[in-house]
Each structure stands twice: as C-alpha cells, then as structure tokens.
Amino acid sequence: MQFTFPPGRTWFYEVWHHKASVLGGVLAIISLSLAHYAGFLMKVPLQIVAVAGMPLAKGVTATFLFYMFFCAVFARVLTSILQLGILPFLALTDRLERGFSRKMDWTHQRRFVRSHTQTIKWEGHIWIAIQAFLFLLLMLGIYVKFTITWISGVGLCMSIVLVLLSGLVRSGFFLQPSPSTFSRKIKKRPARSGRAASAAFVTITAALIIVAFFMGGMRASLLRDQEPQMTMTKDFTGMATVIASSEGALLLFQKQGIELRYIYSTPEFTTSIETKPVFPPIGSKKE
C-alpha cells in the first residue's frame, strides 16, 4: 500500500519514514506499567512469581497508574499556580524597568513587544519542562518516598544518561560541529527535524520505561521496609508486611535478621518461600 503526502507535509513524511522507531515508542508507552511491575518483582523469588505473577499484576499496576495520574494532575495544578504568580510579575518588572509612566516611544515599544513576544513563544516549553520535573519529584516523594539505594540511584542516573546519548546519536547531533549548527539545521531542514523528532520520541519513551522499572524496585523496597502488622488469612496468622494485594490474593513479607520469607495467600491456598526454616510454620486448617 503506497502512501502519498501532499506538498508542505515533508516533516510528517520524515516522521513516517522513521515509523518503526515511532511504533516502538508507542509500544513502550503501552508497556510502561509492565516495566514497573517487572521492577517490582525483581527480588521476589521465581517460585512465587510463577504462582502470583499474573494474579497480582492487576493490583500493582492499578496502584501505579493511580499514583501516576494523581501526581500528573498535582504537578499541573502546581504549575498553574506558578503561572498565575510568575507571568504577571515578569510583565510588571519589564514595564516598570524605567518607571511605569515612562514615555513609550518607538524604540521602547519595539523592545517591549519583542520581549513580550519571546516570553509567549518560549513559556509553553518552559512550563512543560517545569511540569515534568514536578511530576518526577512528586512520584519520588509520594509514591516511593525517596527510597533510593546506591544501586537503584546510580543505575537510574546512568541509564538515563545512556538513553540521552543514544537519542543524540539517532538525531545526528554528533555529526555537527557545534550545537548551534545542529539547531539551525533542525529549523531549516525538514529531514533533520523529522529525524530529531523521531529520536526525541524514542528517547523519551525509553527514559520513561527505565524510570518506571527502577521505580517499581524502589516501591517494593519501600513496602518491605514498612513495620509488620498483624495479618490474618485463611491459613496464616502473624506479623507480616503486605507487599501487594489483588482481589483477595495477598503477597506477604517477613524478615528475621538476614533471613526472608515471602508468603502468597489466596482464599484457595497458601504457599511460601523462605531462605532458611527459621520462621514459625504456617498454620494448617483447624479440624
């Protein structure tokens, strides 16, 4: 099937030309919650994952998506509050630079119009960047409460840096003598802009996948470090930490010194995996 594009749509044509990368980015966005779930299960024994992996996926991913949308809305609200305070302040300071009642001759008027136009032109990009930063900060503060270990922190930072470098390679950044030349060619050449747009899309989605994966591990570490609570199920009664739950199924965690035990309990059965048999046996059904 042959697609033809009307004149003036060369930028879209270039993006379509790199449709494989764009399609990969779309699939990455769809699998964002699964990447988070994979990070969440990294330290869970494979025997438990084999039994509980599918039943618990719904509960873990639903919680992740809830916090993600909550933090996105909260970040948008905070950004809107900043806009209400900063934009009028910028306009007033520009107007009051030489006195509010200064004479607006042609030179001053042109400078004011030019600066005001530049503010309107760039403010959208600036607010998007601020909102993205606030969203990440809120996710780290609310969802994982800054539970960052050396391994997860260094791994996250290095992964994001490598993803950004790969994005620059895809966009052809290192083929140019300077960033200004690269920027100028993107503005003037549709082929360059299409390639850069495709690379940016793939880079952003790859970075989101990495952040979601490491954030899943941070979330699991946060829950494992919580104080154990008295938990009662059909076959288990004792002090344990609830790691995940979904439709009556519970993933419990117990720690005694350096020894660990994971317990998966459903209304039908209960199974456990422990490093050493130092925990009290799970009670059987009463006669």
Side-chain angles (χ1 to χ4, degrees):
M1 185 175 182
Q2 182 68 29
F3 289 92
T4 59
F5 297 89
R9 297 296 297 275
T10 52
W11 181 88
F12 182 76
Y13 172 78
E14 290 298 331
V15 175
W16 177 258
H17 183 66
H18 298 86
K19 58 184 178 296
S21 298
V22 175
L23 180 61
V26 172
L27 294 176
I29 292 177
I30 295 175
S31 62
L32 186 64
S33 59
L34 295 179
H36 173 267
Y37 190 48
F40 187 89
L41 295 178
M42 277 299 293
K43 293 187 178 180
V44 179
L46 291 178
Q47 296 90 332
I48 296 293
V49 175
V51 177
M54 185 62 70
L56 294 178
K58 181 179 179 181
V60 175
T61 55
T63 301
F64 170 67
L65 293 176
F66 167 77
Y67 275 97
M68 187 174 69
F69 285 114
F70 172 78
C71 291
V73 173
F74 196 10
R76 177 57 186 169
V77 171
L78 293 178
T79 305
S80 300
I81 294 174
L82 288 175
Q83 289 177 348
L84 293 176
I86 293 179
L87 285 179
F89 175 77
L90 291 176
L92 285 175
T93 52
D94 185 82
R95 180 71 177 180
L96 293 173
E97 184 179 350
R98 298 184 181 179
F100 186 76
S101 60
R102 72 182 187 272
K103 182 180 179 180
M104 288 290 291
D105 56 24
W106 177 246
T107 304
H108 291 159
Q109 184 179 358
R110 289 187 62 188
R111 185 192 61 79
F112 181 78
V113 171
R114 185 167 56 252
S115 63
H116 190 70
T117 303
Q118 289 296 323
T119 300
I120 295 175
K121 177 181 178 181
W122 291 106
E123 69 156 332
H125 303 286
I126 295 174
W127 293 125
I128 290 176
I130 293 176
Q131 185 174 340
F133 173 76
L134 290 176
F135 169 73
L136 179 60
L137 191 65
L138 289 171
M139 283 293 290
L140 291 175
I142 297 176
Y143 186 63
V144 299
K145 296 183 179 179
F146 297 104
T147 306
I148 302 177
T149 62
W150 278 105
I151 296 177
S152 61
V154 173
L156 178 61
C157 293
M158 296 219 25
S159 299
I160 291 178
V161 170
L162 292 176
V163 166
L164 292 176
L165 288 176
S166 66
L168 292 176
V169 171
R170 287 192 181 100
S171 63
F173 176 80
F174 295 106
L175 297 177
Q176 307 305 319
S178 65
S180 59
T181 304
F182 177 74
S183 177
R184 185 174 64 254
K185 288 186 177 181
I186 284 181
K187 294 178 181 179
K188 294 183 178 180
R189 298 183 181 181
R192 295 280 186 180
S193 60
R195 185 184 304 170
S198 176
F201 188 78
V202 174
T203 301
I204 291 173
T205 52
L208 289 176
I209 287 292
I210 291 173
V211 171
F213 177 81
F214 279 99
M215 200 165 286
M218 296 175 193
R219 177 70 174 180
S221 297
L222 171 67
L223 294 175
R224 281 191 291 263
D225 292 338
Q226 298 296 308
E227 289 294 328
Q229 304 293 329
M230 177 58 68
T231 305
M232 299 179 63
T233 66
K234 180 182 178 181
D235 298 321
F236 172 80
T237 300
M239 302 295 291
T241 303
V242 179
I243 301 297
S245 63
S246 180
E247 299 180 351
L250 295 176
L251 180 60
L252 307 176
F253 175 76
Q254 289 182 306
K255 184 176 182 180
Q256 185 172 324
I258 61 174
E259 308 303 331
L260 310 175
R261 176 162 76 171
Y262 287 88
I263 304 171
Y264 177 61
S265 177
T266 70
E268 292 78 21
F269 69 94
T270 299
T271 184
S272 68
I273 295 293
E274 54 193 62
T275 54
K276 286 185 179 181
V278 297
F279 298 93
I282 297 177
S284 58
K285 296 172 60 177
K286 295 183 179 179
E287 299 294 339

